[in-house]
Amino acid sequence: MPGPSAQDRPTPPPARWRAALAASLLMSVAALAACSRGEVTHVQVPKEPAAAPAAGGAMGGGMGGGMGGGAPPGMAGDVPPPPSPAGGAAMKWTLPKGWAESRSGGMRYATLKAPIPGKLDVSVVVLPGPAGGELANVNRWRGQIGLGPVDDAQLASARQRVKSPAGPISLYDFTSEGQQKSRMVAGLLESGGNTWFVKMVGDAEPAARARPDFIRLVESLRFDPATP
């Protein structure tokens, strides 16, 4: 019986098709072998871009700015500075010898400078109303130097009373833990619908040296437009 003519015989596939078919068969065999061994196939997934860090922080600006700043509860964010009290509502004090003061505006009523080298910041801030309340503000101050919050009973134990012509002042004195200690001495006074904060914060050693003068300044607080 005669075989098929050359016209009837199937045309062999091109060489590149045969090469592609062989490669596909090899990959299939390799995949089956991997599956049979229980191997894990790792897939690289592009990482998501890291979130941008939030602006501000524990040492950020806000009430008092600079060291130990941070707005009081309910005052964070783009809060415009309150109007500075004037006339009989303006706070005055007797500046200790060698100290300087400036009125730069913003959230601060005044910035005071003690003639003591080292990391130290003294500020006067006034806010309308209770400004979050005494307990919340004290706990915020404690948090700024790494201390935990206190409750009402502990707040009462930590509170000192300082008399001044402007009225009684609640004074707090906290020192952080650890080798590099920070200290904060801060007074709080409510008067005329405003809350005044007079705060000194810095490294423990310069804060201790400045403390006697700071206390005398707090004791001199007054509302007396007639006194320069």
Side-chain angles (χ1 to χ4, degrees):
M1 178 177 181
S5 64
Q7 186 177 2
D8 296 332
R9 287 197 295 270
T11 304
R16 64 177 185 275
W17 291 10
R18 293 197 296 272
L21 179 61
S24 177
L25 289 172
L26 288 174
M27 292 176 64
S28 298
V29 170
L32 288 172
C35 291
S36 64
R37 292 195 302 270
E39 294 179 351
V40 177
T41 301
H42 297 278
V43 179
Q44 291 186 342
V45 178
K47 294 182 178 179
E48 294 184 358
M59 302 292 283
M63 192 196 81
M67 293 180 54
M75 295 292 290
D78 297 327
V79 179
S84 184
M91 177 74 80
K92 295 184 179 297
W93 52 81
T94 299
L95 205 62
K97 183 179 180 181
W99 285 51
E101 67 177 67
S102 62
R103 305 290 180 96
S104 56
M107 294 299 292
R108 287 193 176 200
Y109 184 79
T111 296
L112 309 180
K113 175 67 176 176
I116 294 175
K119 195 174 182 180
L120 191 65
D121 181 74
V122 185
S123 63
V124 180
V125 172
V126 57
L127 294 173
E134 188 167 339
L135 178 62
N137 280 290
V138 169
N139 281 331
R140 181 173 54 83
W141 292 339
R142 288 176 57 85
Q144 289 167 3
I145 59 172
L147 297 176
V150 296
D151 57 21
D152 285 316
Q154 294 168 321
L155 180 76
S157 298
R159 180 189 299 119
Q160 304 172 48
R161 291 293 191 187
V162 175
K163 294 181 179 179
S164 79
I169 298 168
S170 298
L171 188 80
Y172 298 91
D173 189 342
F174 299 118
T175 301
S176 69
E177 301 172 350
Q179 290 186 334
Q180 188 68 33
K181 296 183 185 301
S182 298
R183 187 170 182 176
M184 176 180 294
V185 187
L188 183 151
L189 167 69
E190 294 184 32
S191 178
N194 294 320
T195 302
W196 292 84
F197 304 90
V198 184
K199 184 176 68 175
M200 177 177 69
V201 59
D203 288 342
E205 193 275 335
R209 292 180 59 191
R211 189 180 189 282
D213 277 346
F214 178 79
I215 296 300
R216 281 190 282 272
L217 185 146
V218 170
E219 291 172 338
S220 74
L221 296 178
R222 60 190 179 274
F223 298 101
D224 183 4
T227 302

